[in-house]
Amino acid sequence: QVQLVESGGGLVQAGGSLTLSCTASGSIFRINDMGWYRQAPGKQRDLVARISSSTSTSYADSVKGRFTISRDNAKNMMYLQMNSLKPDDTAVYYCNADIRRSGTADSYNYWGQGTQVTVSS
């Protein structure tokens, strides 16, 4: 089995910073692309940032210049450094990854359970 677990969410004032972490565990052969998504109440789940296995990155326009995605392949971890946070950033943040499990030839898409980020004005 493969599991993704997020941590680092919380309550922060506007203009503040938070760093989210995502840890992948289980029978992992290789982690391909990884990403952070977020879902605010009553809205769809949207892409925040993605990072490939070669560490190329892409960001939603709304977070460019404020958020930084990174990963540590040796630790099977991914991070999201969030600076200059705004109330509009309030959402549940989800970790997502394409993972090839040990002993298999195919990759599958996995989601974490989410971590709440609340930005007060």
Side-chain angles (χ1 to χ4, degrees):
Q1 274 289 24
V2 170
Q3 188 176 19
L4 298 177
V5 178
E6 302 97 336
S7 62
L11 174 64
V12 64
Q13 289 188 331
S17 298
L18 280 175
T19 300
L20 304 183
S21 299
C22 172
T23 303
S25 61
S27 301
I28 297 170
F29 177 78
R30 183 177 63 235
I31 302 176
N32 301 313
D33 288 2
M34 303 183 77
W36 289 98
Y37 290 73
R38 66 186 182 186
Q39 187 168 20
K43 296 188 177 181
Q44 66 180 20
R45 188 174 299 186
D46 290 327
L47 173 68
V48 175
R50 286 196 70 81
I51 184 167
S52 72
S53 56
S54 60
T55 67
S56 63
T57 60
S58 61
Y59 296 90
D61 288 342
S62 60
V63 307
K64 281 180 181 177
R66 300 188 297 122
F67 290 9
T68 302
I69 189 171
S70 61
R71 62 190 287 172
D72 184 334
N73 291 332
K75 295 182 179 179
N76 288 341
M77 293 188 70
M78 177 179 62
Y79 308 94
L80 186 68
Q81 174 66 45
M82 304 185 293
N83 298 326
S84 302
L85 283 161
K86 306 174 182 179
D88 284 349
D89 295 318
T90 295
V92 177
Y93 284 70
Y94 295 91
C95 172
N96 176 264
D98 291 323
I99 298 174
R100 179 179 169 184
R101 291 169 53 188
S102 300
T104 66
D106 297 325
S107 295
Y108 297 88
N109 194 252
Y110 295 88
W111 290 92
Q113 83 288 350
T115 186
Q116 176 71 46
V117 172
T118 303
V119 185
S120 62
S121 57

PDB file of all heavy atoms in Angstrom, residues 61-85:
ATOM      1  N   ASP A  61      -1.456  30.845 -11.446  1.00  0.00           N
ATOM      2  CA  ASP A  61      -1.138  32.276 -11.517  1.00  0.00           C
ATOM      3  C   ASP A  61      -1.351  32.966 -10.170  1.00  0.00           C
ATOM      4  O   ASP A  61      -0.623  33.898  -9.822  1.00  0.00           O
ATOM      5  CB  ASP A  61      -2.001  32.949 -12.579  1.00  0.00           C
ATOM      6  CG  ASP A  61      -1.587  32.584 -13.993  1.00  0.00           C
ATOM      7  OD1 ASP A  61      -0.456  32.093 -14.177  1.00  0.00           O
ATOM      8  OD2 ASP A  61      -2.404  32.783 -14.909  1.00  0.00           O
ATOM      9  N   SER A  62      -2.342  32.503  -9.420  1.00  0.00           N
ATOM     10  CA  SER A  62      -2.701  33.164  -8.165  1.00  0.00           C
ATOM     11  C   SER A  62      -1.631  33.029  -7.087  1.00  0.00           C
ATOM     12  O   SER A  62      -1.657  33.775  -6.104  1.00  0.00           O
ATOM     13  CB  SER A  62      -4.024  32.603  -7.646  1.00  0.00           C
ATOM     14  OG  SER A  62      -3.915  31.210  -7.419  1.00  0.00           O
ATOM     15  N   VAL A  63      -0.697  32.087  -7.242  1.00  0.00           N
ATOM     16  CA  VAL A  63       0.315  31.881  -6.208  1.00  0.00           C
ATOM     17  C   VAL A  63       1.736  32.151  -6.702  1.00  0.00           C
ATOM     18  O   VAL A  63       2.685  32.081  -5.910  1.00  0.00           O
ATOM     19  CB  VAL A  63       0.230  30.458  -5.610  1.00  0.00           C
ATOM     20  CG1 VAL A  63      -1.181  30.158  -5.138  1.00  0.00           C
ATOM     21  CG2 VAL A  63       0.715  29.399  -6.596  1.00  0.00           C
ATOM     22  N   LYS A  64       1.901  32.460  -7.967  1.00  0.00           N
ATOM     23  CA  LYS A  64       3.235  32.715  -8.507  1.00  0.00           C
ATOM     24  C   LYS A  64       3.907  33.856  -7.750  1.00  0.00           C
ATOM     25  O   LYS A  64       3.295  34.895  -7.492  1.00  0.00           O
ATOM     26  CB  LYS A  64       3.153  33.054  -9.991  1.00  0.00           C
ATOM     27  CG  LYS A  64       2.973  31.854 -10.897  1.00  0.00           C
ATOM     28  CD  LYS A  64       2.908  32.271 -12.361  1.00  0.00           C
ATOM     29  CE  LYS A  64       2.701  31.069 -13.258  1.00  0.00           C
ATOM     30  NZ  LYS A  64       2.561  31.453 -14.688  1.00  0.00           N
ATOM     31  N   GLY A  65       5.153  33.626  -7.399  1.00  0.00           N
ATOM     32  CA  GLY A  65       5.904  34.636  -6.676  1.00  0.00           C
ATOM     33  C   GLY A  65       5.713  34.594  -5.172  1.00  0.00           C
ATOM     34  O   GLY A  65       6.453  35.243  -4.429  1.00  0.00           O
ATOM     35  N   ARG A  66       4.723  33.827  -4.706  1.00  0.00           N
ATOM     36  CA  ARG A  66       4.467  33.737  -3.266  1.00  0.00           C
ATOM     37  C   ARG A  66       4.712  32.324  -2.723  1.00  0.00           C
ATOM     38  O   ARG A  66       5.151  32.179  -1.581  1.00  0.00           O
ATOM     39  CB  ARG A  66       3.016  34.140  -2.957  1.00  0.00           C
ATOM     40  CG  ARG A  66       2.660  35.546  -3.368  1.00  0.00           C
ATOM     41  CD  ARG A  66       1.278  35.942  -2.853  1.00  0.00           C
ATOM     42  NE  ARG A  66       0.211  35.108  -3.407  1.00  0.00           N
ATOM     43  CZ  ARG A  66      -0.635  34.390  -2.665  1.00  0.00           C
ATOM     44  NH1 ARG A  66      -0.535  34.404  -1.343  1.00  0.00           N
ATOM     45  NH2 ARG A  66      -1.592  33.680  -3.246  1.00  0.00           N
ATOM     46  N   PHE A  67       4.414  31.312  -3.533  1.00  0.00           N
ATOM     47  CA  PHE A  67       4.554  29.921  -3.097  1.00  0.00           C
ATOM     48  C   PHE A  67       5.733  29.275  -3.829  1.00  0.00           C
ATOM     49  O   PHE A  67       6.001  29.596  -4.991  1.00  0.00           O
ATOM     50  CB  PHE A  67       3.298  29.122  -3.417  1.00  0.00           C
ATOM     51  CG  PHE A  67       2.081  29.481  -2.601  1.00  0.00           C
ATOM     52  CD1 PHE A  67       2.055  30.584  -1.764  1.00  0.00           C
ATOM     53  CD2 PHE A  67       0.947  28.686  -2.690  1.00  0.00           C
ATOM     54  CE1 PHE A  67       0.924  30.906  -1.038  1.00  0.00           C
ATOM     55  CE2 PHE A  67      -0.192  28.985  -1.959  1.00  0.00           C
ATOM     56  CZ  PHE A  67      -0.203  30.105  -1.137  1.00  0.00           C
ATOM     57  N   THR A  68       6.388  28.349  -3.143  1.00  0.00           N
ATOM     58  CA  THR A  68       7.484  27.593  -3.746  1.00  0.00           C
ATOM     59  C   THR A  68       7.305  26.110  -3.429  1.00  0.00           C
ATOM     60  O   THR A  68       7.203  25.736  -2.251  1.00  0.00           O
ATOM     61  CB  THR A  68       8.848  28.057  -3.208  1.00  0.00           C
ATOM     62  OG1 THR A  68       9.018  29.458  -3.477  1.00  0.00           O
ATOM     63  CG2 THR A  68       9.972  27.280  -3.878  1.00  0.00           C
ATOM     64  N   ILE A  69       7.273  25.303  -4.477  1.00  0.00           N
ATOM     65  CA  ILE A  69       7.161  23.858  -4.323  1.00  0.00           C
ATOM     66  C   ILE A  69       8.546  23.241  -4.445  1.00  0.00           C
ATOM     67  O   ILE A  69       9.376  23.704  -5.242  1.00  0.00           O
ATOM     68  CB  ILE A  69       6.190  23.264  -5.366  1.00  0.00           C
ATOM     69  CG1 ILE A  69       5.894  21.800  -5.058  1.00  0.00           C
ATOM     70  CG2 ILE A  69       6.719  23.446  -6.780  1.00  0.00           C
ATOM     71  CD1 ILE A  69       4.771  21.223  -5.934  1.00  0.00           C
ATOM     72  N   SER A  70       8.805  22.222  -3.636  1.00  0.00           N
ATOM     73  CA  SER A  70      10.082  21.520  -3.711  1.00  0.00           C
ATOM     74  C   SER A  70       9.868  20.073  -3.276  1.00  0.00           C
ATOM     75  O   SER A  70       8.800  19.725  -2.759  1.00  0.00           O
ATOM     76  CB  SER A  70      11.135  22.199  -2.828  1.00  0.00           C
ATOM     77  OG  SER A  70      10.732  22.194  -1.473  1.00  0.00           O
ATOM     78  N   ARG A  71      10.874  19.240  -3.503  1.00  0.00           N
ATOM     79  CA  ARG A  71      10.770  17.842  -3.109  1.00  0.00           C
ATOM     80  C   ARG A  71      12.134  17.316  -2.713  1.00  0.00           C
ATOM     81  O   ARG A  71      13.165  17.830  -3.152  1.00  0.00           O
ATOM     82  CB  ARG A  71      10.169  16.996  -4.232  1.00  0.00           C
ATOM     83  CG  ARG A  71      10.982  16.965  -5.492  1.00  0.00           C
ATOM     84  CD  ARG A  71      10.210  16.314  -6.659  1.00  0.00           C
ATOM     85  NE  ARG A  71      10.091  14.868  -6.506  1.00  0.00           N
ATOM     86  CZ  ARG A  71       9.339  14.104  -7.285  1.00  0.00           C
ATOM     87  NH1 ARG A  71       8.629  14.658  -8.272  1.00  0.00           N
ATOM     88  NH2 ARG A  71       9.276  12.798  -7.102  1.00  0.00           N
ATOM     89  N   ASP A  72      12.104  16.283  -1.882  1.00  0.00           N
ATOM     90  CA  ASP A  72      13.317  15.577  -1.477  1.00  0.00           C
ATOM     91  C   ASP A  72      13.107  14.124  -1.863  1.00  0.00           C
ATOM     92  O   ASP A  72      12.403  13.377  -1.156  1.00  0.00           O
ATOM     93  CB  ASP A  72      13.531  15.729   0.032  1.00  0.00           C
ATOM     94  CG  ASP A  72      14.834  15.109   0.511  1.00  0.00           C
ATOM     95  OD1 ASP A  72      15.332  14.159  -0.145  1.00  0.00           O
ATOM     96  OD2 ASP A  72      15.350  15.545   1.543  1.00  0.00           O
ATOM     97  N   ASN A  73      13.670  13.720  -2.991  1.00  0.00           N
ATOM     98  CA  ASN A  73      13.427  12.373  -3.502  1.00  0.00           C
ATOM     99  C   ASN A  73      13.982  11.296  -2.570  1.00  0.00           C
ATOM    100  O   ASN A  73      13.421  10.203  -2.478  1.00  0.00           O
ATOM    101  CB  ASN A  73      14.039  12.221  -4.890  1.00  0.00           C
ATOM    102  CG  ASN A  73      13.300  13.039  -5.936  1.00  0.00           C
ATOM    103  OD1 ASN A  73      12.107  13.295  -5.816  1.00  0.00           O
ATOM    104  ND2 ASN A  73      14.016  13.474  -6.958  1.00  0.00           N
ATOM    105  N   ALA A  74      15.055  11.594  -1.872  1.00  0.00           N
ATOM    106  CA  ALA A  74      15.646  10.611  -0.968  1.00  0.00           C
ATOM    107  C   ALA A  74      14.718  10.297   0.214  1.00  0.00           C
ATOM    108  O   ALA A  74      14.737   9.196   0.755  1.00  0.00           O
ATOM    109  CB  ALA A  74      16.987  11.106  -0.452  1.00  0.00           C
ATOM    110  N   LYS A  75      13.909  11.286   0.585  1.00  0.00           N
ATOM    111  CA  LYS A  75      13.009  11.117   1.736  1.00  0.00           C
ATOM    112  C   LYS A  75      11.566  10.877   1.313  1.00  0.00           C
ATOM    113  O   LYS A  75      10.697  10.728   2.170  1.00  0.00           O
ATOM    114  CB  LYS A  75      13.073  12.358   2.634  1.00  0.00           C
ATOM    115  CG  LYS A  75      14.428  12.585   3.279  1.00  0.00           C
ATOM    116  CD  LYS A  75      14.388  13.815   4.181  1.00  0.00           C
ATOM    117  CE  LYS A  75      15.732  14.040   4.858  1.00  0.00           C
ATOM    118  NZ  LYS A  75      15.713  15.248   5.729  1.00  0.00           N
ATOM    119  N   ASN A  76      11.307  10.857   0.003  1.00  0.00           N
ATOM    120  CA  ASN A  76       9.929  10.728  -0.507  1.00  0.00           C
ATOM    121  C   ASN A  76       9.025  11.805   0.068  1.00  0.00           C
ATOM    122  O   ASN A  76       7.904  11.531   0.511  1.00  0.00           O
ATOM    123  CB  ASN A  76       9.359   9.338  -0.184  1.00  0.00           C
ATOM    124  CG  ASN A  76       9.979   8.250  -1.028  1.00  0.00           C
ATOM    125  OD1 ASN A  76      10.568   8.519  -2.077  1.00  0.00           O
ATOM    126  ND2 ASN A  76       9.875   7.023  -0.573  1.00  0.00           N
ATOM    127  N   MET A  77       9.521  13.032   0.064  1.00  0.00           N
ATOM    128  CA  MET A  77       8.767  14.142   0.619  1.00  0.00           C
ATOM    129  C   MET A  77       8.651  15.286  -0.380  1.00  0.00           C
ATOM    130  O   MET A  77       9.493  15.469  -1.265  1.00  0.00           O
ATOM    131  CB  MET A  77       9.433  14.651   1.905  1.00  0.00           C
ATOM    132  CG  MET A  77       9.393  13.657   3.049  1.00  0.00           C
ATOM    133  SD  MET A  77       9.983  14.354   4.596  1.00  0.00           S
ATOM    134  CE  MET A  77       8.648  15.497   4.980  1.00  0.00           C
ATOM    135  N   MET A  78       7.605  16.062  -0.186  1.00  0.00           N
ATOM    136  CA  MET A  78       7.353  17.260  -0.991  1.00  0.00           C
ATOM    137  C   MET A  78       6.952  18.380  -0.034  1.00  0.00           C
ATOM    138  O   MET A  78       6.364  18.111   1.026  1.00  0.00           O
ATOM    139  CB  MET A  78       6.229  17.003  -1.994  1.00  0.00           C
ATOM    140  CG  MET A  78       5.841  18.208  -2.822  1.00  0.00           C
ATOM    141  SD  MET A  78       4.520  17.853  -4.009  1.00  0.00           S
ATOM    142  CE  MET A  78       3.185  17.387  -2.948  1.00  0.00           C
ATOM    143  N   TYR A  79       7.271  19.598  -0.421  1.00  0.00           N
ATOM    144  CA  TYR A  79       7.006  20.747   0.430  1.00  0.00           C
ATOM    145  C   TYR A  79       6.308  21.852  -0.360  1.00  0.00           C
ATOM    146  O   TYR A  79       6.434  21.936  -1.585  1.00  0.00           O
ATOM    147  CB  TYR A  79       8.318  21.296   1.004  1.00  0.00           C
ATOM    148  CG  TYR A  79       9.165  20.257   1.683  1.00  0.00           C
ATOM    149  CD1 TYR A  79      10.178  19.608   0.975  1.00  0.00           C
ATOM    150  CD2 TYR A  79       8.944  19.892   3.004  1.00  0.00           C
ATOM    151  CE1 TYR A  79      10.953  18.636   1.579  1.00  0.00           C
ATOM    152  CE2 TYR A  79       9.717  18.917   3.618  1.00  0.00           C
ATOM    153  CZ  TYR A  79      10.721  18.297   2.886  1.00  0.00           C
ATOM    154  OH  TYR A  79      11.487  17.321   3.487  1.00  0.00           O
ATOM    155  N   LEU A  80       5.621  22.710   0.363  1.00  0.00           N
ATOM    156  CA  LEU A  80       5.056  23.920  -0.233  1.00  0.00           C
ATOM    157  C   LEU A  80       5.314  25.060   0.748  1.00  0.00           C
ATOM    158  O   LEU A  80       4.693  25.128   1.812  1.00  0.00           O
ATOM    159  CB  LEU A  80       3.559  23.783  -0.504  1.00  0.00           C
ATOM    160  CG  LEU A  80       2.940  24.959  -1.246  1.00  0.00           C
ATOM    161  CD1 LEU A  80       3.471  25.010  -2.698  1.00  0.00           C
ATOM    162  CD2 LEU A  80       1.413  24.857  -1.261  1.00  0.00           C
ATOM    163  N   GLN A  81       6.244  25.924   0.381  1.00  0.00           N
ATOM    164  CA  GLN A  81       6.516  27.109   1.177  1.00  0.00           C
ATOM    165  C   GLN A  81       5.561  28.200   0.709  1.00  0.00           C
ATOM    166  O   GLN A  81       5.570  28.578  -0.467  1.00  0.00           O
ATOM    167  CB  GLN A  81       7.975  27.562   0.980  1.00  0.00           C
ATOM    168  CG  GLN A  81       8.317  28.883   1.657  1.00  0.00           C
ATOM    169  CD  GLN A  81       8.253  28.792   3.162  1.00  0.00           C
ATOM    170  OE1 GLN A  81       8.740  27.841   3.755  1.00  0.00           O
ATOM    171  NE2 GLN A  81       7.647  29.799   3.802  1.00  0.00           N
ATOM    172  N   MET A  82       4.753  28.694   1.634  1.00  0.00           N
ATOM    173  CA  MET A  82       3.734  29.683   1.300  1.00  0.00           C
ATOM    174  C   MET A  82       4.037  30.980   2.043  1.00  0.00           C
ATOM    175  O   MET A  82       4.050  31.009   3.275  1.00  0.00           O
ATOM    176  CB  MET A  82       2.344  29.169   1.685  1.00  0.00           C
ATOM    177  CG  MET A  82       2.007  27.828   1.056  1.00  0.00           C
ATOM    178  SD  MET A  82       0.302  27.298   1.397  1.00  0.00           S
ATOM    179  CE  MET A  82       0.403  27.021   3.168  1.00  0.00           C
ATOM    180  N   ASN A  83       4.313  32.029   1.277  1.00  0.00           N
ATOM    181  CA  ASN A  83       4.609  33.343   1.842  1.00  0.00           C
ATOM    182  C   ASN A  83       3.535  34.343   1.432  1.00  0.00           C
ATOM    183  O   ASN A  83       2.777  34.111   0.489  1.00  0.00           O
ATOM    184  CB  ASN A  83       5.975  33.824   1.354  1.00  0.00           C
ATOM    185  CG  ASN A  83       7.103  32.927   1.796  1.00  0.00           C
ATOM    186  OD1 ASN A  83       7.081  32.352   2.886  1.00  0.00           O
ATOM    187  ND2 ASN A  83       8.117  32.789   0.945  1.00  0.00           N
ATOM    188  N   SER A  84       3.504  35.460   2.124  1.00  0.00           N
ATOM    189  CA  SER A  84       2.550  36.530   1.822  1.00  0.00           C
ATOM    190  C   SER A  84       1.143  35.981   1.672  1.00  0.00           C
ATOM    191  O   SER A  84       0.431  36.276   0.707  1.00  0.00           O
ATOM    192  CB  SER A  84       2.980  37.259   0.534  1.00  0.00           C
ATOM    193  OG  SER A  84       4.278  37.794   0.666  1.00  0.00           O
ATOM    194  N   LEU A  85       0.734  35.191   2.621  1.00  0.00           N
ATOM    195  CA  LEU A  85      -0.569  34.528   2.540  1.00  0.00           C
ATOM    196  C   LEU A  85      -1.710  35.532   2.599  1.00  0.00           C
ATOM    197  O   LEU A  85      -1.627  36.576   3.277  1.00  0.00           O
ATOM    198  CB  LEU A  85      -0.706  33.501   3.658  1.00  0.00           C
ATOM    199  CG  LEU A  85       0.058  32.198   3.403  1.00  0.00           C
ATOM    200  CD1 LEU A  85       0.263  31.423   4.700  1.00  0.00           C
ATOM    201  CD2 LEU A  85      -0.668  31.345   2.383  1.00  0.00           C
TER     202      LEU A  85
END
